[in-house]
Amino acid sequence: MTLAILGAGPAGVGAAFQAARRKLGRVVVFEQRDSPGGNAGSFDIAGIRVDYGSHRLHPTCDPRVLADLKALLGDDLLERPRHGRILLRNRWIGFPLRPLDLALHLPKSFILGAAADVVLKRFAPKPVEESFASVLEAGLGGTVCRDFYFPFARKLWGLDPAELSPVQARRRVSANTPAKMLRKTSGKRFFYYPRRGYGQLFESLCDAAKTQGAEFLFHSRVKAIEHHERRVSRVHHETAESSGSLDCQLVLSTLPINHLVRCLNPPQLILDAAGRMLFRGMILIYLVLEQDRFSEFDAHYFPEEDIPISRLSEPKNYSATSEPRNRTVLCAELPCDPQSDTWTKTDAELGELVCQSLSVAGIPLRAQPLQVLTRRLAHAYPIYKRGFENDFALLDDWVGGFENLVTFGRQGLFAHDNAHHALHMAYCTVDCLNSAGEFQWDRWRSHRQDFERHVVED
């Protein structure tokens, strides 16, 4: 059997590792970038390993996945304390949240407003139609929503909270009631992080899969998928210099589901639904500074809309490295749409935007950056606009009608998931293959129900 895996992000690499380890046949992975990991990968800037934004491996990772990662990375998988902070009403609040820190640093008006909301929400009428806004207001009250979640939502997804589906609140906000928020203040305060950047997780899985015989075709973009009578037969791909095709008996796709269906030459109804599936883009802006550290914090969060960036991370504080001396890199995350004017700004303009943002936040740079570089992610976050469920169901059902094609992973299932969720999906997907290479659809449907319970870990 020849198994084609589309995409070498966390889900694709995880599936390749599992399939190759189980000797399920020839395993071929197509990836348009030059390395594994996708949006969770790593690369070098000024001698420092950096990630595509801020990433952590959470302790809630599936035990089987975590055991494999620990075995592959050994001492390179570090256990690191969480040490971030949130700027709220011009006050810094530690993150993860701590009860004493909240009591000491939150404005009294915020505390009183949030407390009053807990009492008053019992008497609030139920909304006629649910949305992201109504679900969170019912759970947390107006004060927390107006000051934190709603401006952050507008920044991250580019829509008013009332325009977002209630699914966005349930899948993206884990602490969506006071009780859940209180439980999170006593949760685990550490994470796992590889010594050589988050992408080392997927580089290690890729190397292990190759050792077991898997083939990775980098710089290869999937252009079309040939099929007949609802059965896929061939994947067409291209590089900058050439094109080719692969005959295959099974395709596991982690591509964005709207791109996948376009590769299948669907009917117009499906094509129209694919066009309505929206992803939020993000520009990652890297500033190289001539100093050992910018701050003691691994990440700074900016929910309020007067600061355009949503988060600032410092890779050296994730990996605990002290090298190179007198140099560090900051990574600022700027959510925006690929069709916007912001998307086309120069590196210098974007670097200046970050410098201005940090000045407004009260943490200005002490000198101009040595260098500014950017990376653009067109599919950073799925956008759950109200009504998206109907379009996704249409695409999902149509793709599900192919007897040898499976879509999974964060992009493939249009899911707000962490990388450890994507790896869990990968393992479950390959578990559905029996020794004869037959895909067990009943077992897959059970796994899909389990995936619905995934909630993003912040």
Side-chain angles (χ1 to χ4, degrees), residues 157-182:
W157 300 305
L159 293 174
D160 187 85
E163 297 180 75
L164 295 169
S165 166
V167 178
Q168 189 108 38
R170 297 183 178 114
R171 294 289 299 273
R172 185 62 180 82
V173 182
S174 56
N176 53 20
T177 67
K180 290 180 180 179
M181 188 171 286
L182 185 62

Side-chain angles (χ1 to χ4, degrees), residues 136-451:
L136 285 190
E137 278 194 307
L140 293 169
T143 302
V144 174
C145 290
R146 285 191 303 269
D147 281 39
F148 182 77
Y149 282 112
F150 289 177
F152 213 18
R154 282 188 286 267
K155 184 183 294 189
L156 287 182
W157 300 305
L159 293 174
D160 187 85
E163 297 180 75
L164 295 169
S165 166
V167 178
Q168 189 108 38
R170 297 183 178 114
R171 294 289 299 273
R172 185 62 180 82
V173 182
S174 56
N176 53 20
T177 67
K180 290 180 180 179
M181 188 171 286
L182 185 62
R183 283 197 294 271
K184 284 185 76 71
T185 65
S186 58
K188 293 180 178 178
R189 301 187 181 281
F190 73 91
F191 62 97
Y192 296 105
Y193 190 83
R195 196 181 302 277
R196 295 194 295 277
Y198 198 70
Q200 188 181 354
L201 295 174
F202 313 107
E203 292 159 9
S204 298
L205 284 168
C206 178
D207 289 344
K210 287 179 179 178
T211 299
Q212 297 290 342
E215 304 166 45
F216 284 78
L217 304 182
F218 293 109
H219 299 290
S220 294
R221 178 177 174 82
V222 175
K223 294 296 293 180
I225 301 173
E226 200 172 322
H227 56 91
H228 180 65
E229 294 184 350
R230 305 297 279 169
R231 183 172 179 83
V232 169
S233 58
R234 182 175 298 164
V235 173
H236 296 271
H237 58 98
E238 67 177 11
T239 68
E241 295 82 24
S242 63
S243 60
S245 62
L246 175 76
D247 292 333
C248 51
Q249 285 70 56
L250 180 65
V251 174
L252 304 182
S253 174
T254 70
L255 303 178
I257 190 167
N258 51 2
H259 179 62
L260 171 65
V261 299
R262 291 182 185 118
C263 290
L264 291 160
N265 191 27
Q268 191 61 46
L269 177 69
I270 301 301
L271 202 59
D272 291 342
R276 291 190 294 269
M277 301 298 288
L278 305 175
F279 287 86
R280 181 70 158 164
M282 178 177 288
I283 303 177
L284 301 171
I285 308 162
Y286 299 90
L287 277 60
V288 181
L289 307 182
E290 192 174 15
Q291 57 193 88
D292 283 335
R293 286 286 192 278
F294 173 71
S295 78
E296 65 183 89
F297 300 96
D298 49 35
H300 311 254
Y301 297 84
F302 306 103
E304 295 170 343
E305 292 174 280
D306 61 334
I307 298 175
I309 62 174
S310 58
R311 179 166 54 185
L312 182 83
S313 55
E314 188 168 4
K316 285 179 79 171
N317 289 346
Y318 281 70
S319 61
T321 183
S322 58
E323 299 296 335
R325 299 285 182 179
N326 201 33
R327 192 181 310 134
T328 191
V329 174
L330 302 181
C331 174
E333 301 176 21
L334 178 64
C336 64
D337 293 320
Q339 298 78 23
S340 68
D341 292 339
T342 302
W343 194 262
T344 60
K345 286 183 181 293
T346 66
D347 288 3
E349 291 172 326
L350 292 167
E352 182 58 30
L353 182 148
V354 174
C355 292
Q356 292 172 358
S357 296
L358 298 183
S359 293
V360 172
I363 47 174
L365 300 182
R366 66 189 191 196
Q368 283 296 308
L370 298 175
Q371 187 180 6
V372 177
L373 298 94
T374 60
R375 295 289 188 275
R376 286 164 172 78
L377 309 180
H379 299 88
Y381 298 120
I383 300 176
Y384 287 2
K385 190 173 183 178
R386 283 174 60 184
F388 89 95
E389 301 94 333
N390 296 330
D391 288 322
F392 175 74
L394 195 61
L395 300 186
D396 194 32
D397 289 346
W398 189 76
V399 171
F402 289 88
E403 60 184 80
N404 63 336
L405 170 64
V406 184
T407 182
F408 70 110
R410 176 173 175 159
Q411 314 283 21
L413 292 181
F414 204 64
H416 274 283
D417 281 355
N418 300 109
H420 69 274
H421 291 134
L423 286 170
H424 174 62
M425 284 188 200
Y427 277 49
C428 291
T429 303
V430 177
D431 285 347
C432 292
L433 281 165
N434 62 24
S435 57
E438 300 165 330
F439 198 79
Q440 300 166 296
W441 289 100
D442 287 344
R443 190 172 183 182
W444 174 242
R445 282 187 282 273
S446 177
H447 283 312
R448 284 288 301 268
Q449 292 177 354
D450 180 49
F451 300 159

